[in-house]
Amino acid sequence: MTAPVSDLPRPNDSSGTPRRVGIEVECGGVTETRLAEIVTELFGGTVSQTAPYERVVEETEIGDVKVVLDTAYRDKADNWIAQRGLDLSRAVVPVEFVTDPILPAQIPQVDRLCRALAQHGATGSRDGVFLGFGLHLNVMIAGTAVGDLLPTLRAFAFLEDWLRLEDPIDPSRRLLPFVEPYPSAFVERLAAPEAADWSRNDLIDVYLHETPTRNRGLDMLPILRHLAEDRVIAALRDASAVSARPAWHYRLPDSRIDEPDWSIAREWNRWCLIERIAADPPALEGLREAWLSHHRGFAATRHGWAHEADRLLKSTDLAKAGA
């Protein structure tokens, strides 16, 4: 059953425009053709094939929905041998659907699509040992000023170990180069008192120096490319896979589309907790101080901090910050 959908503490951006979220869900067990058909059965729209192994369903109730076999090799499927190889890879390569940016209130409709897909055989990360299917949320930022970005980044960084403890990602995803945690050295710089006085340029410099990779549970590179494209291109060996967009690319959650108690709404609510803490300066400061205190101790570990953060969230009003 779909969980109630939490509200963002800042539902509109700095210009007053309602913030939206683009949703990407990976799954196995269905082809891109069948997935696109199920989209039309639920939401209407017209299916067209845009390339081999790619479909787009236009003008549905939730906007356009893109459906692809999620591998870069689909662009090279220009002969029957390559196509045969891709067809054989379906056991481990997911099909992915990607929505247009939607309002958070529309998330239950996407959950309805997930349930329909599961009824037609769609599977998630836990269906096989070599599967690493994910859910990505592309959450429109509230603004481009450092005060719009840094608190959210800090809140996530301080709570990432707790997020992984509270709902562990599937081991198969930990083996793939997609969702490595932020390096401790980066989080330490975010926790330093002087970080509160950073400019936006300072934030960009530190991020690109400490973690110039897409392989993160929260990938900020799309935002940075939107703000400073030349600097991102210079910092990365290959920036071609980074699309510029003013959105948080939250890619930590598993896709568990075939599990009845899983929902996109629940994962959205976990993101909203991050933003609620970011929007509450005393709560964020308490979390920062606790992180520093723990990591200054002897034999500090990520696992130990995750448990301490769990106790902190349960014993204070941090989890309700800004609600």
Side-chain angles (χ1 to χ4, degrees), residues 52-268:
Y53 303 97
E54 295 184 11
R55 307 288 186 274
V56 63
V57 190
E58 297 179 296
E59 298 182 351
T60 80
E61 292 177 12
I62 57 172
D64 292 353
V65 180
K66 184 178 180 181
V67 184
V68 301
L69 186 66
D70 192 22
T71 171
Y73 293 107
R74 71 177 183 270
D75 296 334
K76 301 175 176 61
D78 53 1
N79 60 67
W80 72 268
I81 296 176
Q83 292 172 8
R84 178 60 175 163
L86 284 178
D87 290 337
L88 291 173
S89 74
R90 288 183 181 276
V92 293
V93 174
V95 170
E96 178 184 57
F97 73 82
V98 182
T99 73
D100 272 349
I102 63 173
L103 294 170
Q106 295 175 290
I107 289 175
Q109 291 175 272
V110 187
D111 267 332
R112 186 156 63 95
L113 172 58
C114 290
R115 290 195 297 273
L117 290 171
Q119 290 170 0
H120 286 83
T123 57
S125 279
R126 293 178 175 175
D127 187 61
V129 69
F130 296 113
L131 306 183
F133 303 159
L135 162 69
H136 300 180
L137 301 177
N138 296 287
V139 187
M140 180 179 173
I141 58 177
T144 60
V146 67
D148 300 315
L149 302 172
L150 182 57
T152 300
L153 179 61
R154 294 175 102 189
F156 174 84
F158 300 150
L159 284 180
E160 181 176 14
D161 294 331
W162 172 80
L163 289 166
R164 292 169 181 266
L165 171 73
E166 197 263 345
D167 190 7
I169 63 174
D170 191 83
S172 60
R173 295 188 74 214
R174 293 200 294 268
L175 296 174
L176 298 172
F178 300 132
V179 289
E180 281 294 303
Y182 282 147
S184 294
F186 176 54
V187 184
E188 187 170 358
R189 294 195 68 176
L190 291 173
E194 55 267 25
D197 297 321
W198 283 354
S199 67
R200 192 175 73 182
N201 282 335
D202 293 331
L203 170 58
I204 295 172
D205 287 343
V206 171
Y207 193 99
L208 292 178
H209 182 268
E210 298 288 350
T211 177
T213 174
R214 299 176 65 224
N215 182 12
R216 298 292 178 232
L218 180 61
D219 176 14
M220 199 179 177
L221 289 176
I223 297 173
L224 301 191
R225 185 159 188 171
H226 172 73
L227 297 174
E229 182 169 28
D230 291 347
R231 293 163 70 182
V232 172
I233 292 173
L236 271 62
R237 292 183 179 179
D238 180 11
S240 61
V242 178
S243 300
R245 58 184 181 271
W248 298 102
H249 191 187
Y250 179 51
R251 56 195 302 173
L252 184 62
D254 286 346
S255 168
R256 300 174 185 166
I257 194 170
D258 52 350
E259 299 179 25
D261 60 346
W262 179 86
S263 71
I264 296 169
R266 178 177 177 274
E267 301 296 347
W268 166 260

